[in-house]
Amino acid sequence: MEDKDLLQIVATACDDKRAEEIVALDMNEVSLVADYFLICHGSNERQVQAIARGIKDAVEEEGMSIKRIEGMEQARWVLVDLGGIVCHIFHKEERSYYNLERLWGDAAQVTLHVGQEK
């Protein structure tokens, strides 16, 4: 499966758990860490954990596996590593503090089909 297809599956999983402000960045030209970053947030720790579990379930449903999940216990910033895609699931307060969209401002945004666009 192409990373761009997996990115859409992950974005849909986030949307299904009511993640807010889902943004995908194309990291190919700006970083060697991953091809894409997906960034979103939840309003509380329980929702952040549910979003991360939703991603894990959706990826496993496609016959793939997660390389690593970090931050589930505190659920302030959960990182889900899928290899070519790294998902950053923030608690709302943490997202504005770290502001990854500004930090990686040179990365192009990827159009996702979630929410109203389905």
Side-chain angles (χ1 to χ4, degrees), residues 6 15 30 41 46 56 72-73 92 98 109 111:
L6 182 58
D15 188 56
V30 295
H41 70 265
R46 186 175 297 161
K56 181 180 184 292
M72 280 292 277
E73 193 170 309
K92 187 174 186 172
Y98 288 103
Q109 283 200 15
T111 300

Side-chain angles (χ1 to χ4, degrees), residues 28-63:
N28 283 297
E29 301 296 319
V30 295
S31 174
L32 299 175
V33 174
D35 295 332
Y36 298 99
F37 277 0
L38 185 129
I39 305 165
C40 65
H41 70 265
S43 57
N44 58 55
E45 289 86 354
R46 186 175 297 161
Q47 185 184 18
V48 170
Q49 291 169 335
I51 295 166
R53 280 191 300 273
I55 291 170
K56 181 180 184 292
D57 292 346
V59 168
E60 288 176 349
E61 204 171 280
E62 293 295 321

Side-chain angles (χ1 to χ4, degrees), residues 46-111:
R46 186 175 297 161
Q47 185 184 18
V48 170
Q49 291 169 335
I51 295 166
R53 280 191 300 273
I55 291 170
K56 181 180 184 292
D57 292 346
V59 168
E60 288 176 349
E61 204 171 280
E62 293 295 321
M64 304 178 80
S65 61
I66 302 275
K67 289 187 179 285
R68 184 174 65 218
I69 298 179
E70 295 181 12
M72 280 292 277
E73 193 170 309
Q74 293 81 18
R76 301 297 291 182
W77 178 359
V78 175
L79 185 128
V80 180
D81 183 354
L82 302 168
I85 302 168
V86 176
C87 304
H88 301 270
I89 310 156
F90 287 99
H91 187 285
K92 187 174 186 172
E93 296 162 5
E94 304 297 324
R95 184 174 186 173
S96 60
Y97 178 79
Y98 288 103
N99 199 354
L100 292 186
E101 293 95 320
R102 184 176 55 80
L103 178 66
W104 294 103
D106 292 343
Q109 283 200 15
V110 177
T111 300

